[in-house]
Amino acid sequence: MKKYLLLTLVLFGFLQAKAQYNTITLSGGYVFSNIEDSETSASGFRINGLYEYHPIVGKFVHGFSVGYINVSADVEEVSGGQPIVSKYTISTWPFYYAPKLMIGDGSLQGFVKGAFGMQFSTLKIELPGSEFSSNDAGLYAGLGAGVQKEISDKIFINLEYEWAYQSNSYYRDGFINSVMVGVGFKLNK
């Protein structure tokens, strides 16, 4: 464990030395998806933290992200001829590499981004008189686009959309959509 921590610190030190500037962005927003094989749409919220370093040359930015996603839905199923309403709640922790290509110059820029990493999820199903929960982990991969506006030399805001695939049986087809607003801080510019 100490070996991995030391390697991570050395890597961030190297990135800091080779970067024009680094940023931290905190964002949150609305999430929507479908649950399992039902036609029920789930919705919820997402909180995300992103660390990025901007190389001295070029528009390509490297980022590392961690987040929390929570969606829920009421699903009506028929059992023994009687309708039963179940509440599904899914909590996901995605950890991923987030490369970004900045488009344009000046205080307003667009971007396209990728996401590639892993996620840990918990599914909780509440039935009348009982409760079931399970954990899973798998791939997290996606694409996104957005805009970023500088407010000052050190602060910016962004708006983005992200479509992601999770290799997790809790989401039907594994797709999740996020619309987020964030505030970012330039660390060493």
Side-chain angles (χ1 to χ4, degrees), residues 46-57:
R46 177 175 184 167
I47 300 168
N48 214 56
L50 175 65
Y51 172 82
E52 293 179 311
Y53 69 96
H54 301 247
I56 293 172
V57 178

Side-chain angles (χ1 to χ4, degrees), residues 89-107:
T89 304
I90 302 168
S91 302
T92 303
W93 291 90
F95 300 86
Y96 56 92
Y97 169 62
K100 185 186 286 184
L101 178 64
M102 302 303 290
I103 301 166
D105 292 316
S107 67

